Amino acid sequence: MFKIVEREELNPTVTKLVIEAPLIAKKANPGQFIIVRTHELGERIPLTIADYDREKGTITIIFQIVGKTTRLLNELKVNECVLDFVGPLGVASHITGMKRVCVVGGGVGCAIAYPTAKGLHDNGVEVTTIAGFRNKDLVILEDEFKAVSTNFHLMSDDGSAGTKGLVTNVLEDLLSNGEQFDEVIAIGPLVMMKFVCMVTKKYNVKTVVSMNPIMIDGTGMCGGCRLSVGGKTKFACVDGPDFDGHLVDFDEAMSRSRQYADFEQHEREDNCNLLHKEVA
Amino acid sequence: MPNMNPKKMDMPLQDPNVRNKNFDEVALGYTLEQAMEEADRCLQCKHKPCMNGCPVAVDIPGFIGKVKDGDMEAAYKIIKETSSLPAVCGRVCPQESQCEEKCVRGIKHESVGIGRLERFVADYHIANGSTDVVIPTSNGHKVAIVGAGPAGLTCAGDIANKGYDVTIFEALHKAGGVLVYGIPEFRLPKAIVQKEIDGLKAIGVKVETNMVIGKVLEIDELFEMGYESIFIGSGAGLPNFMNLEGENLKGVFSANEYLTRFNLMKAYETGVDTPIFKAKRAAIIGGGNVAMDAARCAKRVGCEEVYIVYRRGMDELPARREEVEHAEEEGIIFKTLTNPVRILGDENGNCIGMECVEMELGEADDSGRRRPVIKEGSNFVMDIDCMIMSIGTSPNPLILSTTDGLDANKWGCLIADEDGKTSREGVYAGGDAVTGAATVILAMGAGKDAAKAMDEYIQSK
């Protein structure tokens, strides 16, 4: 059992949990992930490590409530426990040997983009951050990003925060104005990462994306997380989760992420019906 | 005068059309009378040929003699002297190619039902036997076991009984390895596996789940923590694929994933959060026990047509004959001498069919099996919405890649001698991590040999 020592709602749909896991905290590095299971009948889901504290022996996860498991995670209070917590899994991000990097985060993906931006900044890299959200209520980590970024661009779909538009609009502007980056790191929804890669490909800028597909064990055993990278099948759990974005088959990854969409929809309806009953 | 019935006592089974809709155990086990009658078929050969067929050399005539006398507890003790998981082996060992193959009764007629008797004795003990636990006296030495599958559990049990302080590190949230994630409930009830693990815990073995060795801790750190010797039984967990066009379509799974969802995650039960793909027509590629398990799982959750697609013929199926027969009875359709060449998808990325070729058997290859050759121009399409790749597994590289001085062959299998000794001092290995995908009993045999060697190593230090 792994105890929750801190809980914070970053916005109405995104929650941060700090969890006691000293052994994992000792080994964790940016870009790696954990597998969590909340209860005996629960499923195993992967979540990228948002932060770690080796001294305190804690791992931070930040997640958006999208399905049953994340809803249950969100219901847990401080001093309550998650049943299973496994990691650190996957290969850590490479954040050394660069001078200027553009970090692009979308929605809850910003939670994972932030430690990367911070890691780069701490290594003396000049960081430009582009963070995109649907609206101002969903903005997270704005001050944190500003603290580690030389340039910070906030975007929202409806213009209620920062500039109205997509992250790719700013990225395209920067690149077309001759801005030079050693690398672009994109973390967010698959569709966002796909379009970021389309822009950077045009300007021939190396782009790394962080993939978060369906998986069970996280150690290479199930193969559920496989994706096509440069025409070859890779397992996100052991070969990634970071990949060269210009080689990833995003359309396939998007299709595969919907493998159990019907089941999840059904679960959600069941839960909503339960809620209706409770209200009535 | 022994019972000279040429045939084995039949195993009582659930009716095929009932069992193919539930996950309860298929084989119901002998009654006491049936067991004693079958035991009487054993000739008690002086030279005990059956023992030579057993990877852990159970004194088979010895225990069967006790069954004949009705002394089940004595029979159990004899099996337990050399086998740590009798209730498991009695169910999943390929007896027909091991002990029962060497049985003198089998020369002219059917061999003695050794596996069925072993299962009976183990189940009888679970239901009626003594639960007294003898906790071994501690010798003050610590050993670590990586992987709580058949090899690791056996090694742990054997070495704990010599007085060692044993900790098993398991990557998944539940101990048992392939016994819990791979083999389905209807062939090996998980309660039985849990009993065996509880038995180990009772004698002081510690089981640490959620510990991926190679990630959270490395082998060298285990030594630093005071473990004097380490056994690696991490299995062959990586699923092989065929690299076919369309392999990443929705509806295409590794047997590992499909079976893990069923067995470890219990996705077929109501109230469980892990989803399972509801196929209408599924093709399982491969002809081993794992393929049979996947096919029979698919059938049980309502898949209308389930095919086993295998490139050789019925006679060449590597699965146990009993499993093939059970699968056929349950309505699994065998499409042998057939091999997929391409998987077809729709515009939404769903698997909607599989292009296959017919095969014929050519000359024998190095393994002595006749090599399947493609019949030119025989391409045809099978209308399926699900495909489960069950063509073998490879060892997981997580430990190898994080441990210096550990040698492996070109397939990533750890190199170990017959005692399980690896190239690293104090590190032993066995089971699928060394052999590549093999059987439960071979893994147990390796765990057993390693326990003995680890004891000798520590005592001679």
Side-chain angles (χ1 to χ4, degrees):
Chain A
M1 301 287 268
F2 299 80
K3 198 168 87 178
I4 295 162
V5 293
E6 200 185 313
R7 179 183 182 282
E8 187 188 345
E9 289 179 8
L10 299 184
N11 74 32
T13 62
V14 175
T15 299
K16 170 173 125 176
L17 292 180
V18 181
I19 294 175
E20 240 173 43
L23 288 174
I24 305 175
K26 218 170 123 185
K27 286 289 170 66
N29 280 302
Q32 290 187 294
F33 67 96
I34 52 90
I35 293 263
V36 63
R37 194 171 72 120
T38 56
H39 64 293
E40 205 42 63
L41 303 177
E43 65 176 327
R44 295 166 63 100
I45 61 157
L47 289 171
T48 309
I49 294 170
D51 201 0
Y52 50 85
D53 188 325
R54 301 203 203 284
E55 309 257 293
K56 289 187 186 143
T58 57
I59 294 285
T60 302
I61 51 172
I62 296 178
F63 56 91
Q64 183 165 21
I65 305 157
V66 287
K68 188 173 174 192
T69 305
T70 43
R71 186 171 55 75
L72 291 172
L73 260 184
N74 185 51
E75 284 168 12
L76 292 171
K77 300 178 186 72
V78 170
N79 288 329
E80 291 187 322
C81 293
V82 293
L83 184 57
D84 300 299
F85 202 66
V86 193
L89 300 169
V91 182
S93 303
H94 297 284
I95 52 168
T96 51
M98 294 179 283
K99 286 199 179 70
R100 301 190 77 221
V101 170
C102 179
V103 175
V104 184
V108 70
C110 288
I112 314 309
Y114 169 67
T116 304
K118 183 172 183 290
L120 289 163
H121 174 78
D122 293 348
N123 280 337
V125 179
E126 187 187 321
V127 178
T128 294
T129 298
I130 308 171
F133 301 92
R134 285 215 310 277
N135 59 52
K136 72 172 184 341
D137 295 335
L138 303 179
V139 174
I140 57 172
L141 302 168
E142 184 177 354
D143 294 337
E144 287 86 345
F145 270 119
K146 280 181 179 160
V148 298
S149 311
T150 309
N151 302 297
F152 177 72
H153 304 272
L154 178 63
M155 307 296 291
S156 63
D157 294 358
D158 63 358
S160 58
T163 312
K164 182 175 172 168
L166 302 170
V167 290
T168 40
N169 301 145
V170 195
L171 184 64
E172 175 100 51
D173 285 349
L174 293 173
L175 292 172
S176 65
N177 285 329
E179 198 79 43
Q180 299 288 320
F181 297 114
D182 297 323
E183 194 172 300
V184 171
I185 299 175
I187 307 173
L190 286 166
V191 65
M192 180 205 90
M193 295 195 285
K194 175 185 169 175
F195 281 96
V196 165
C197 290
M198 282 163 68
V199 171
T200 56
K201 179 117 205 206
K202 209 158 63 180
Y203 296 92
N204 206 15
V205 184
K206 187 186 169 193
T207 303
V208 172
V209 294
S210 176
M211 304 298 282
N212 187 19
I214 295 169
M215 53 177 85
I216 304 178
D217 60 294
T219 64
M221 199 185 88
C222 77
C225 66
R226 61 193 193 278
L227 69 165
S228 297
V229 181
K232 288 203 176 74
T233 294
K234 298 277 179 189
F235 287 8
C237 65
V238 287
D239 300 318
D242 288 359
F243 292 98
D244 181 338
H246 293 160
L247 299 177
V248 169
D249 183 340
F250 283 103
D251 293 335
E252 180 189 277
M254 283 187 265
S255 166
R256 288 185 63 78
S257 73
R258 290 190 294 268
Q259 174 101 53
Y260 295 103
D262 291 349
F263 180 90
E264 281 157 17
Q265 180 63 27
H266 187 69
E267 282 268 309
R268 244 195 315 274
E269 279 163 12
D270 280 0
N271 289 322
C272 292
N273 288 341
L274 270 178
L275 282 175
H276 289 318
K277 270 178 208 152
E278 278 166 21
V279 173
Chain B
M1 181 66 191
N3 168 1
M4 292 310 288
N5 190 334
K7 293 193 64 147
K8 256 185 227 185
M9 172 68 67
D10 280 336
M11 174 60 104
L13 301 172
Q14 269 199 79
D15 181 83
N17 281 316
V18 174
R19 71 180 193 235
N20 66 10
K21 295 170 195 73
N22 70 45
F23 279 83
D24 299 337
E25 194 169 14
V26 167
L28 303 169
Y30 283 161
T31 61
L32 179 64
E33 294 69 30
Q34 288 173 321
M36 288 172 68
E37 197 180 325
E38 179 63 19
D40 200 26
R41 290 184 66 234
C42 173
L43 302 176
Q44 294 290 319
C45 306
K46 286 274 175 301
H47 64 305
K48 302 182 179 183
C50 47
M51 275 182 73
N52 295 327
C54 175
V56 297
V58 167
D59 177 2
I60 293 163
F63 98 78
I64 292 181
K66 294 295 178 194
V67 175
K68 197 169 106 182
D69 298 343
D71 188 350
M72 300 309 158
E73 202 52 22
Y76 183 75
K77 285 209 177 90
I78 292 173
I79 301 175
K80 268 301 246 191
E81 275 169 25
T82 49
S83 169
S84 43
L85 310 168
V88 173
C89 293
R91 288 173 165 82
V92 304
C93 261
Q95 290 100 5
E96 67 280 5
S97 58
Q98 296 180 349
C99 52
E100 293 182 13
E101 189 183 39
K102 311 269 180 184
C103 176
V104 171
R105 291 294 307 262
I107 298 170
K108 283 195 173 159
H109 302 293
E110 283 188 8
S111 68
V112 174
I114 300 170
R116 294 171 184 184
L117 288 172
E118 182 186 26
R119 169 187 162 157
F120 174 79
V121 170
D123 288 359
Y124 193 90
H125 172 80
I126 290 172
N128 309 295
S130 140
T131 50
D132 293 349
V133 176
V134 185
I135 297 172
T137 318
S138 167
N139 68 7
H141 294 283
K142 269 169 72 174
V143 296
I145 313 274
V146 181
L153 293 176
T154 304
C155 184
D158 273 32
I159 202 155
N161 274 319
K162 293 178 203 286
Y164 288 85
D165 178 346
V166 183
T167 305
I168 307 179
F169 295 96
E170 166 58 41
L172 291 171
H173 59 260
K174 205 172 207 135
V178 75
L179 307 176
V180 302
Y181 77 73
I183 304 177
E185 179 78 16
F186 56 81
R187 211 150 71 75
L188 178 63
K190 300 310 148 219
I192 284 169
V193 181
Q194 194 54 47
K195 275 257 191 267
E196 303 284 10
I197 292 159
D198 291 344
L200 290 179
K201 287 183 179 166
I203 60 166
V205 172
K206 292 182 276 285
V207 181
E208 300 249 12
T209 52
N210 293 326
M211 295 292 281
V212 184
I213 301 303
K215 284 291 180 186
V216 72
L217 287 173
E218 293 174 12
I219 295 293
D220 291 287
E221 289 174 289
L222 293 176
F223 279 120
E224 287 162 23
M225 289 161 72
Y227 295 103
E228 292 170 66
S229 181
I230 296 161
F231 176 76
I232 303 172
S234 50
L238 295 189
N240 296 340
F241 286 90
M242 292 175 80
N243 294 321
L244 297 179
E245 181 189 330
E247 213 162 43
N248 292 344
L249 289 165
K250 284 178 286 185
V252 182
F253 304 93
S254 73
N256 264 6
E257 176 180 358
Y258 195 68
L259 288 171
T260 300
R261 286 177 181 275
F262 276 93
N263 305 322
L264 178 72
M265 305 311 293
K266 296 275 179 274
Y268 58 87
E269 288 181 1
T270 45
V272 168
D273 296 345
T274 301
I276 193 82
F277 184 77
K278 291 278 167 55
K280 289 198 177 64
R281 289 172 304 280
I284 290 82
I285 315 304
N289 290 320
V290 174
M292 301 304 140
D293 286 345
R296 297 168 74 191
C297 279
K299 190 78 190 174
R300 277 164 173 72
V301 290
C303 184
E304 290 153 24
E305 288 168 34
V306 185
Y307 297 93
I308 290 278
V309 175
Y310 180 57
R311 61 198 182 127
R312 290 184 165 94
M314 282 305 282
D315 292 340
E316 285 77 28
L317 284 168
R320 295 184 61 195
R321 178 154 302 252
E322 185 180 288
E323 302 306 329
V324 174
E325 283 168 8
H326 286 176
E328 282 185 303
E329 289 164 10
E330 288 169 16
I332 309 299
I333 306 155
F334 284 74
K335 226 159 160 48
T336 51
L337 292 169
T338 302
N339 210 28
V341 290
R342 188 162 68 100
I343 310 164
L344 313 172
D346 66 11
E347 67 280 11
N348 295 317
N350 298 304
C351 164
I352 52 162
M354 174 171 88
E355 185 179 331
C356 296
V357 284
E358 289 177 24
M359 312 290 283
E360 53 196 350
L361 293 179
E363 297 297 307
D365 62 14
D366 293 345
S367 71
R369 294 192 297 178
R370 291 176 64 193
R371 211 161 54 85
V373 190
I374 295 172
K375 269 196 213 170
E376 288 306 327
S378 63
N379 298 45
F380 68 101
V381 170
M382 279 179 74
D383 176 19
I384 52 157
D385 61 355
C386 176
M387 187 165 165
I388 299 164
M389 310 302 277
S390 178
I391 52 164
T393 52
S394 313
N396 197 314
L398 282 181
I399 292 174
L400 189 61
S401 62
T402 53
T403 311
D404 288 335
L406 203 53
D407 291 346
N409 67 19
K410 64 176 173 179
W411 296 283
C413 300
L414 298 178
I415 295 173
D417 70 9
E418 55 193 21
D419 294 330
K421 197 167 175 295
T422 67
S423 52
R424 261 299 285 276
E425 192 188 328
V427 179
Y428 293 75
D432 285 4
V434 169
T435 56
T439 61
V440 168
I441 186 72
L442 281 173
M444 286 178 49
K448 192 165 207 54
D449 294 340
K452 187 163 168 281
M454 287 162 78
D455 175 45
E456 286 164 6
Y457 163 73
I458 292 173
Q459 296 307 328
S460 68
K461 270 208 300 188

